[in-house]
Amino acid sequence: MLRIGANPIGWSNDDMRELGGETPLETCLAEAASVGIEGMELGHKFPREAGALKAALAPFGLACVSGWYSSELLLRDPAAELAALRPHLDLLKAVGCDVLVFAETSNAIHGDRTAPLSRRPHLAAGDWAEFGRRVTAVAEATRAEGVRLAYHHHMGTVVQSQADIDAFMGSTGEAVALVLDTGHATWGGADPAQLAAKYRSRIAHVHTKDVRRAVMERAMAEDLSFLDAVVDGVYTVPGDGCVDFEAVFRELPGYDGWVVIEAEQDPVKANPLVYARKGFAHLTAVLAKTGLRPAA
């Protein structure tokens, strides 16, 4: 059954800790549950020991959805990557997660406020096959343990644009699933509805960020860094920007994984609870309209 989760970035400010807006974990969880959210992705405030994590989530009836993992497969082989991944993978398994959000960050710039997005890394045409082989090997290993690797295309990384996503998907085996992130797709120049249609059978996780078009266009024109654009408000919750979520979900008939609400907004500027309620209301209406979830 399709379930709605949330990424805690709006509450805990994971990518922008130095900017302020810190909120206690218990407040994040209580507010998420009050909205109707059923699970949370891991943020930096969450315990990384299974018993403590379960104890933190249980009072609010929340599941652990998944958790981001930063890979370095451009620098190391699958065996070394699996060794580095082991604590995170074991934690996900222990708390019942069946999806691993995975992204290559060895040369990424999305965390560097001094690096404009024009400096983001690219793979040469001849390098995709080896990169895809390495990701596939890791994905086959995690699948054997009951966890599906879902690759997260992301601004400021080697898999950002439509062409990057196509090259990546073409170079990886069927063990590799895709995180469809509507916000990163839109800003990266892809149509998220077209991505949903093209890779429907391999989409195992959905992140629903919306995009403020004017901020996105200004960020591109001024060649801002990823984080500067985020602070300026390029992302928001579903229903508050230019993404057509109904078109996206009409291309995912039968999808039964997690749908994660995200905003990646500075919580000092955008009250997380207000925006969570707005995004949840829009998303539940879209999912009911497209037949993926009963109307509330």
Side-chain angles (χ1 to χ4, degrees):
M1 174 182 165
L2 182 148
R3 303 176 71 187
I4 298 176
N7 187 306
I9 195 165
W11 285 280
S12 59
N13 220 18
D14 284 28
D15 283 348
M16 302 178 290
R17 279 180 254 185
E18 75 278 11
L19 300 178
E22 294 288 347
T23 308
L25 176 61
E26 293 77 11
T27 302
C28 301
L29 300 179
E31 290 184 348
S34 75
V35 170
I37 287 164
E38 299 160 90
M40 296 287 280
E41 286 195 349
L42 296 175
H44 80 273
K45 288 180 174 294
F46 286 68
R48 287 313 199 264
E49 188 278 322
L53 179 56
K54 290 177 181 178
L57 294 170
F60 307 99
L62 294 167
C64 181
V65 174
S66 185
W68 170 283
Y69 175 76
S70 297
S71 71
E72 297 189 5
L73 279 170
L74 295 175
L75 303 177
R76 57 192 178 199
D77 64 23
E81 193 65 65
L82 283 163
L85 172 61
R86 175 53 55 192
H88 186 70
L89 180 61
D90 285 346
L91 175 62
L92 294 183
K93 289 166 56 180
V95 295
C97 294
D98 59 6
V99 172
L100 161 67
V101 176
F102 187 97
E104 178 62 28
T105 62
S106 61
N107 58 1
I109 62 164
H110 63 288
D112 183 354
R113 291 191 73 182
T114 69
L117 276 171
S118 62
R119 285 170 45 195
R120 69 102 172 178
H122 296 264
L123 280 190
D127 293 335
W128 283 106
E130 176 59 16
F131 179 54
R133 184 194 69 78
R134 294 183 183 190
V135 177
T136 301
V138 174
E140 289 172 346
T142 66
R143 184 175 63 175
E145 297 187 38
V147 180
R148 192 168 189 195
L149 184 154
Y151 193 91
H152 194 323
H153 56 97
H154 198 288
M155 297 297 294
T157 74
V158 293
V159 186
Q160 171 178 297
S161 68
Q162 175 78 60
D164 296 334
I165 295 168
D166 289 340
F168 175 80
M169 297 299 282
S171 68
T172 52
E174 53 84 28
V176 179
L178 183 69
V179 175
L180 174 61
D181 188 300
T182 57
H184 286 283
T186 300
W187 190 3
D191 181 331
Q194 291 180 10
L195 283 176
K198 187 170 187 177
Y199 297 114
R200 181 180 303 152
S201 66
R202 292 178 67 183
I203 292 172
H205 206 58
V206 179
H207 282 178
T208 58
K209 285 193 289 291
D210 215 334
V211 176
R212 294 184 175 98
R213 185 179 298 280
V215 181
M216 176 180 70
E217 291 176 348
R218 183 172 70 251
M220 295 169 67
E222 297 178 9
D223 195 19
L224 298 182
S225 70
F226 173 76
L227 287 181
D228 279 340
V230 168
V231 172
D232 283 353
V234 68
Y235 287 140
T236 184
V237 294
D240 193 43
C242 65
V243 174
D244 184 345
F245 287 95
E246 184 176 341
V248 172
F249 285 106
R250 288 204 181 280
E251 298 296 347
L252 293 173
Y255 176 76
D256 65 354
W258 283 96
V259 175
V260 178
I261 300 172
E262 291 189 305
E264 294 191 27
Q265 300 184 103
D266 184 348
V268 172
K269 298 178 179 180
N271 182 278
L273 181 56
V274 170
Y275 278 87
R277 286 174 173 158
K278 180 184 295 189
F280 184 84
H282 183 77
L283 188 59
T284 51
V286 166
L287 295 174
K289 192 172 183 179
T290 55
L292 288 172
R293 184 175 166 116

